Amino acid sequence: MTDEQGRRTMDKNNFSEIYKKYVMTAYSAAMQVVHNEADADDIAQETMVKLYLNIDALDEDLRAEEMELPTLAEEEKQERNHFFREVMDALKDHDESGYYITREIKVHERSEKEVASEMGITIGNLRVKMTRTKKWLCQHFADKARERGFL
């Protein structure tokens, strides 16, 4: 639905479009607070229900396009960041040294030599640990990454 100036209005008639556009934003925001997928999903759904129930009460000048909400690219970035945190948390629970090596080399961009020295292991040993970590990550997260379009 559009107003007299051709701007899209936010109302119950186009709510499914609004829902599709913003439910991931609500979910991502909830995940940053609760760190639990089921709870974040519940919060996102409750938020969208409240929006639907109160949409008619919104100020007429408030338009979906004018709201400072994340763009699709920002939503995708948030989703990728959430997935990265999920992977790193699982890796930390599984293998702290693999987590440390991955974080230091891939995230903080430190050299293998520097990390190996700090850990008191040889570069060869570090590379073996990296290979094992990559294998574990692929076994546990490759399918999820593909489903979400990250691979």
Side-chain angles (χ1 to χ4, degrees):
M1 187 171 221
T2 57
D3 65 8
E4 60 278 352
Q5 286 129 9
R7 293 182 296 192
R8 193 164 222 25
T9 58
M10 185 185 298
D11 61 28
K12 290 181 179 177
N13 293 327
N14 67 339
F15 188 77
S16 65
E17 185 180 326
I18 293 165
Y19 179 91
K20 289 175 192 172
K21 189 171 182 179
Y22 297 113
V23 70
M24 279 306 298
T25 300
Y27 175 82
S28 296
M31 270 303 292
Q32 291 177 4
V33 175
V34 298
H35 305 288
N36 178 292
E37 291 181 15
D39 291 342
D41 189 49
D42 289 346
I43 291 168
Q45 294 304 319
E46 288 173 19
T47 300
M48 299 312 287
V49 167
K50 285 181 183 179
L51 175 60
Y52 181 80
L53 294 174
N54 294 294
I55 202 162
D56 293 332
L58 292 175
D59 184 63
E60 196 171 289
D61 293 332
L62 183 62
R63 307 283 183 236
E65 290 81 9
E66 295 170 358
M67 294 171 62
E68 291 187 22
L69 294 173
T71 64
L72 184 57
E74 289 169 335
E75 285 183 20
E76 289 173 1
K77 184 177 179 183
Q78 287 176 349
E79 189 174 346
R80 284 179 183 273
N81 286 342
H82 165 69
F83 183 68
F84 175 75
R85 283 191 301 274
E86 179 185 338
V87 169
M88 291 300 284
D89 287 347
L91 177 58
K92 187 175 185 180
D93 290 342
H94 169 72
D95 176 14
E96 282 201 36
S97 67
Y99 166 80
Y100 180 79
I101 291 167
T102 302
R103 186 189 71 203
E104 294 304 305
I105 293 174
K106 300 297 183 183
V107 177
H108 298 297
E109 299 179 345
R110 294 178 61 200
S111 72
E112 290 179 358
K113 183 179 179 181
E114 184 180 9
V115 175
S117 175
E118 185 175 288
M119 294 179 72
I121 61 176
T122 66
I123 290 179
N125 193 343
L126 180 120
R127 288 180 179 158
V128 167
K129 288 179 181 287
M130 286 174 61
T131 300
R132 288 181 183 156
T133 298
K134 287 178 189 176
K135 183 177 178 182
W136 184 85
L137 289 171
C138 287
Q139 288 172 341
H140 290 85
F141 290 98
D143 289 340
K144 268 189 179 180
R146 274 190 215 91
E147 287 171 13
R148 296 179 183 185
F150 301 149
L151 292 179

